[in-house]
Amino acid sequence: MDRKKYHRHSFFTLLHHYIDAMTVLTEKLYEKDPYLFEFTALVIGMKGDLIELDRTAFYPGGGGQDSDRGELEDLAVVDVRYLDGALVHKVPGHGFLLGMNVRGVVSKERRLDLMKGHTGEHMLFAALNRMVPDLELVKISITPEKKSFLVKGALNWNIILDAEKLVNEAIGQGIGIDDVMVDRKDPLISQSRIKLERIPGDLIRLVRIGEFDLAACAGVHVRNTTDIDMLLVEKLTSARPHGDFEVEFLVGRRAILRSLQLSSWAIQASDLIGSHPEDLLNALRNLKAEMVRDQDALRQTAKTVMAGLVPETISGVPIYRSVFQGVDRKTLSEEATRKVSDGRSICIFADEGEKRSLVIAIGNQLDIDANQLLQKTLLPHGGRGGGNKNFATGGTNISVKGESLLESVLIEIRSLLEK
Ligand SMILES: [Zn+2]
């Protein structure tokens, strides 16, 4: 740590050196009292917008938790962090002088939310770790917008639910949270979640959530689990390649409101499909399987219809056409291409499923441009699509009848062939 270098540009180096000579480092008020939001302190260092104080309640971030925001003398503190070993507050446009007394106010709502999230992270990981002993914590992110961590190990929603129950039970029990400074060789170390190799120095800060969890951490935490109110896991997503899963969660009032919203949706969804909420997942799985079977059957029927199509002949050119209901565009395209593989036929298919589709295939011996035909047909209906001379496909507004799309294409083809 080179404090002299950091303060090289300071105007009041003399005063600073005097304080420095007394080996004053910033006193971390947030470590002693994480619920202290107002304080006064002495400015002991400056560099541009960056202010160093003799003591501070602003947490500079760490352990994945965002740094605090707030005010110094009614001026916004837009960042707090360590720089060259000094804990600095970024206060744009300040007019502070070295040796000045300033009043600091930490944004309370933001800090409480981050502390709840951070403590919640300790608890949730500890609970998951009980069920999956080889679970490994890769990265933590505790910000106002998002609270999550990345893990390596096998997780699923059943494990998550069991862990959530454990955590919320512990939240309700009002377990006290404290921290102890221990030596590397202290027997407590072996009972804690710790990566010794990552921690410098001999003294290690252990954060204890009663019997629930013991972990090495230098961050700020709530003093009692009831302060978290509730923890709700909201997302479990793949986090390859950095880890296996990202677990995203909510705490506090946001967790309560979100769980109410989610349960309301689950109840309404159950009503909609006529099942009990506890059967909802199975009912949806069955519905999905049914849908896949229906689509398969529809596709088979469509293929039979396509195979039996009798072409209408205009100027000696066989023209196949038909309107389908809910057949996917891929099947339509494949069959249409097959129909014109003799090089001298034309095939036009429309579908009136959830989307209105149009497929045009033209034999490669014919001098008609499929893409031009498609554009000309869809444009008046505000539809879109693309392709080339032999094949084009697109879609349009569902208010347009499939039959009328085919008619428009046919009129164009007729005028081209009968020229
Ligand atoms: Zn922590």
Side-chain angles (χ1 to χ4, degrees), residues 331-352:
T331 306
L332 295 177
S333 303
E334 283 169 3
E335 290 301 314
T337 309
R338 193 166 299 146
K339 283 275 185 245
V340 303
S341 58
D342 60 1
R344 50 180 200 87
S345 304
I346 292 175
C347 181
I348 42 178
F349 288 156
D351 190 87
E352 295 185 337

Side-chain angles (χ1 to χ4, degrees), residues 118-119 121-122 207 216-221:
H118 184 100
T119 315
E121 169 265 309
H122 278 238
V207 174
C217 184
V220 281
H221 310 84

Side-chain angles (χ1 to χ4, degrees), residues 358-360 369-389 391-396 405 408-409 412:
L358 179 64
V359 171
I360 302 174
D369 191 307
N371 192 34
Q372 274 179 17
L373 266 180
L374 183 96
Q375 303 298 346
K376 207 163 181 178
T377 311
L378 293 183
L379 214 63
H381 306 293
R384 286 175 10 177
N388 53 41
K389 188 176 172 298
F391 180 84
T393 176
T396 184
L405 285 177
S408 312
V409 181
E412 279 300 317

Side-chain angles (χ1 to χ4, degrees), residues 125-226:
F125 182 80
L128 289 170
N129 206 183
R130 280 190 212 177
M131 281 163 244
V132 185
D134 62 351
L135 197 68
E136 195 190 322
L137 190 56
V138 180
K139 193 177 172 239
I140 303 165
S141 171
I142 307 292
T143 71
E145 297 78 29
K146 184 177 173 182
K147 290 156 188 74
S148 79
F149 52 79
L150 254 64
V151 293
K152 273 186 187 159
L155 287 185
N156 59 48
W157 276 109
N158 291 329
I159 297 173
I160 294 280
L161 180 64
D162 286 344
E164 277 177 309
K165 284 180 188 164
L166 269 180
V167 170
N168 283 290
E169 214 167 283
I171 288 173
Q173 284 164 357
I175 301 171
I177 297 166
D178 63 354
D179 52 80
V180 278
M181 296 299 288
V182 296
D183 186 85
R184 275 182 176 267
K185 295 176 190 81
D186 196 288
L188 262 184
I189 292 281
S190 63
Q191 299 165 33
S192 68
R193 293 193 286 118
I194 190 168
K195 283 176 178 161
L196 267 181
E197 69 279 7
R198 288 198 193 169
I199 301 171
D202 287 333
L203 278 180
I204 291 166
R205 185 171 182 253
L206 293 180
V207 174
R208 181 166 48 194
I209 307 176
E211 302 280 300
F212 197 86
D213 185 43
L214 185 65
C217 184
V220 281
H221 310 84
V222 293
R223 280 270 164 86
N224 191 292
T225 56
T226 49

